Amino acid sequence: MTFQVQTRQSSKDRVPAVEPGEAIVYERYGEEKTVAMNPDDFHRLVQLDAALDEIAASDHIPLDDFALEGLLEEARPQKQPIENAAQIKALLGL
């Protein structure tokens, strides 16, 4: 989904300034109607949305050697799951 963006003068709609990392959710009759957020956060969200669309449209997600090794290690049957951080690091050569 691509965001459809409308630009309006803030003095017309009286929208307050919102700090980075915060959002204001406007409700009416207990139902969320709209959200005001910081412009930098909004542009980051749009970039993330575009990146997710690109990944979803591709045939595969490129994996580096480290990620591939982790997936292969996960696929190997284990008698007991390894939950100790030191053992996991040793297996991955870290």
Side-chain angles (χ1 to χ4, degrees):
M1 169 189 104
T2 303
F3 282 99
Q4 300 298 317
V5 179
Q6 294 181 15
T7 303
R8 295 183 183 182
Q9 295 297 316
S10 63
S11 60
K12 179 182 177 217
D13 292 332
R14 303 286 184 222
V15 177
V18 182
E19 294 297 316
E22 295 181 2
I24 300 172
V25 178
Y26 291 95
E27 294 181 343
R28 186 169 185 172
Y29 305 115
E31 195 175 312
E32 293 180 351
K33 294 295 182 179
T34 191
V35 176
M37 62 190 315
N38 183 277
D40 293 338
D41 293 340
F42 173 73
H43 294 297
R44 182 171 178 263
L45 179 62
V46 169
Q47 289 175 337
L48 288 170
D49 187 58
L52 284 173
D53 282 347
E54 186 177 324
I55 290 169
S58 70
D59 291 339
H60 68 286
I61 300 172
L63 299 176
D64 61 14
D65 292 340
F66 184 73
L68 185 58
E69 185 177 339
L71 288 172
L72 291 172
E73 191 63 37
E74 259 187 10
R76 291 187 190 123
Q78 301 281 332
K79 291 182 182 175
Q80 289 288 342
I82 300 171
E83 296 180 6
N84 180 294
Q87 287 178 300
I88 293 170
K89 285 181 180 181
L91 279 171
L92 296 174
L94 300 175

